[in-house]
Amino acid sequence: MFACCATVDDNTSQIEITTAEAAVSEKSLSTPPTAAEEPVVEEKKEEKQEAKTDEKIEEAKTDEKIEEAKAGEKIEEKKEEDKKEEETPAAVESPEIEVSFPLNGKPLGLSLDLANPGGMGAKIIRVKEEGAVAEYNKTAATPVKDGQSIMEVLGTRGSAQELLEAIKANKTDKMTLKLC
């Protein structure tokens, strides 16, 4: 194939055909073109094929990058899930710890969250510096800590209000708490 353009001469009604390489003569029509005279179109096809190949390579690289990014996102999601599992308090799974200590005539020395309507237990807001619990914590293997929940007082289970009443009703010099 030849790239050509046709012009019409108004006076003679002849058509002149030109190519990008040279004018085509009658002799050149009867003989096949030599390697030097091969049409420019073949070169353009090769260039298009090379461009398509380059595009495919780029697409493959992009696909690889997308897959790598997806894999990275999955790894990050898994890490976040694992981290959340570690951070999530396992209140249901944690065993209760029983602690017993003498009061020695001192107040208990705890600040409790009593606003747990309908819930069981009382959350320890703060262990005060003075009191029976602070004395117990000085030598205890399992100290009473801020954030723990008292689930039972002297064998009584119930709401924060019920546990507070059990603490006030204690007539002994000993306290037993179950914590989680």
Side-chain angles (χ1 to χ4, degrees):
M1 286 187 135
F2 289 90
C4 64
C5 58
T7 58
V8 178
D9 186 3
D10 290 335
N11 296 334
T12 61
S13 299
Q14 291 182 346
I15 298 175
E16 177 184 350
I17 299 175
T18 59
T19 65
E21 295 291 320
V24 177
S25 68
E26 287 181 24
K27 183 178 178 183
S28 67
L29 289 175
S30 62
T31 61
T34 63
E37 297 174 339
E38 285 192 21
V40 178
V41 175
E42 291 298 321
E43 290 177 16
K44 289 184 179 180
K45 281 184 182 177
E46 288 176 13
E47 288 175 8
K48 285 181 181 179
Q49 287 176 342
E50 287 176 8
K52 285 181 182 179
T53 303
D54 290 343
E55 286 177 17
K56 288 179 181 177
I57 291 171
E58 287 302 315
E59 285 178 20
K61 287 180 183 178
T62 302
D63 289 345
E64 283 179 21
K65 289 178 183 177
I66 290 171
E67 289 301 317
E68 287 174 5
K70 286 180 181 178
E73 287 174 5
K74 287 179 182 177
I75 291 170
E76 288 301 317
E77 287 174 4
K78 179 65 177 157
K79 285 180 183 178
E80 287 178 23
E81 286 175 15
D82 291 345
K83 187 176 178 182
K84 285 180 183 176
E85 286 176 8
E86 290 173 6
E87 292 175 353
T88 303
V92 176
E93 296 175 15
S94 66
E96 292 182 351
I97 302 165
E98 184 173 301
V99 296
S100 294
F101 49 90
L103 293 174
N104 296 329
K106 296 181 182 179
L108 198 54
L110 294 174
S111 291
L112 302 175
D113 180 4
L114 302 176
N116 187 7
M120 299 296 286
K123 186 172 183 177
I124 299 171
I125 297 172
R126 185 172 66 91
V127 176
K128 296 180 181 179
E129 292 179 20
E130 300 292 323
V133 175
E135 284 296 314
Y136 164 78
N137 281 349
K138 289 179 183 177
T139 58
T142 54
V144 178
K145 302 176 197 168
D146 298 350
Q148 287 181 310
S149 291
I150 301 172
M151 302 307 293
E152 183 176 309
V153 174
L154 300 166
T156 302
R157 286 186 169 269
S159 67
Q161 241 3 88
E162 292 168 325
L163 295 177
L164 181 60
E165 288 176 24
I167 292 169
K168 289 179 181 178
N170 182 21
K171 302 293 181 204
T172 67
D173 197 37
K174 184 177 177 186
M175 181 58 66
T176 302
L177 306 173
K178 283 195 180 176
L179 308 167
C180 68

